[in-house]
Amino acid sequence: MEEKRRKLMLRILWMLAANVILGLGIALLRLSSFGTDPFTCMNLGVSSHLPISFAAYQVLFNIVLIIPVFILDRKSFGIGTLTNMVLLGYFVEFFVFLLSLMGVTIQGLQSHIILRTAALIAGVLVVCFGVALYMACDLGAGPYDRLPVVIETYSRGKIKYKWARVTQDVISAGVGIVTGSVIGIGTVIVALFTGPIVSFFRDTAVARIMKNLT
């Protein structure tokens, strides 16, 4: 019993760390000005037309999105779901604020293409690692990240996670375009490669982290 409790606590800590990592990755994408991940892109675009902040809108949208995911896959709901739904947007805003205090701002990087490219590459890798890590903790995933898993499950493997994720990201990016969000090469890269990169991290580094915790 004590060993199970220890493993659970470690998984909770890894899940929290994963969401912090995700927040950092998305903040780096925003700073690169090459476009954010499709989900953030969509939420930034829609929230810009509403009298609420990006983080607050993301919480509300996640509440709506969790309903069909919960109906189809109840095990996807847990403390990890709540953490991702409620806190991720605020983690992003925190890191953007923290980096601005360090003098790293979107405006300040505009003329530094090498630094923007580095921020883009780092952001993509950090986001994908964060997604793979918190999903592997199996404490519940955010509805956006869980939906491709549900599709893979209900298609009995005919539609693989990575392709379901690519399709979902492309649709979200499209909504971002329509609502006036910043679209760039970063958005395209994340839309096309998040699924495969997440799958890579899930089968390598994350698998090693979770080896003794399940």
Side-chain angles (χ1 to χ4, degrees):
M1 180 65 71
E2 193 63 33
E3 179 65 13
K4 288 182 66 175
R5 186 177 302 170
R6 184 187 71 83
K7 288 183 177 182
L8 176 60
M9 290 304 299
L10 286 174
R11 284 166 56 206
I12 290 174
L13 290 174
W14 275 116
M15 178 273 296
L16 290 171
N19 278 279
V20 172
I21 290 169
L22 263 172
L24 173 60
I26 294 171
L28 288 171
L29 289 175
R30 289 180 66 174
L31 287 171
S32 76
S33 295
F34 283 123
T36 61
D37 65 282
F39 186 55
T40 302
C41 170
M42 175 177 64
N43 290 336
L44 283 170
V46 176
S47 64
S48 68
H49 298 280
L50 301 173
I52 57 175
S53 69
F54 156 74
Y57 170 76
Q58 184 154 298
V59 172
L60 294 175
F61 183 76
N62 274 324
I63 290 173
V64 174
L65 192 59
I66 193 62
I67 295 173
V69 176
F70 179 76
I71 292 172
L72 295 172
D73 183 20
R74 294 193 177 187
K75 78 170 187 175
S76 67
F77 189 84
I79 187 173
T81 308
L82 294 175
T83 301
N84 184 264
M85 287 174 59
V86 176
L87 296 181
L88 180 58
Y90 293 101
F91 284 150
V92 175
E93 293 190 339
F94 167 75
F95 279 114
V96 170
F97 172 73
L98 182 63
L99 289 167
S100 70
L101 290 180
M102 299 167 60
V104 183
T105 64
I106 295 174
Q107 294 76 16
L109 291 181
Q110 284 299 315
S111 59
H112 299 280
I113 189 68
I114 295 177
L115 292 178
R116 289 174 58 201
T117 302
L120 169 64
I121 295 171
V124 170
L125 294 176
V126 170
V127 163
C128 291
F129 179 74
V131 170
L133 181 57
Y134 95 83
M135 289 180 65
C137 290
D138 198 26
L139 293 171
Y144 186 85
D145 292 309
R146 191 67 190 178
L147 188 56
V149 178
V150 172
I151 293 173
E152 182 180 49
T153 300
Y154 276 81
S155 70
R156 298 185 179 181
K158 293 180 180 178
I159 303 175
K160 298 299 182 182
Y161 165 84
K162 57 185 178 182
W163 301 122
R165 178 70 189 230
V166 167
T167 301
Q168 176 179 269
D169 283 346
V170 169
I171 292 172
S172 297
V175 174
I177 292 174
V178 172
T179 53
S181 188
V182 176
I183 300 293
I185 186 63
T187 309
V188 175
I189 290 173
V190 176
L192 296 179
F193 296 106
T194 291
I197 297 175
V198 167
S199 295
F200 170 77
F201 279 132
R202 186 174 59 181
D203 296 337
T204 54
V206 172
R208 288 195 289 272
I209 292 173
M210 292 291 113
K211 185 176 181 180
N212 298 316
L213 297 182
T214 55

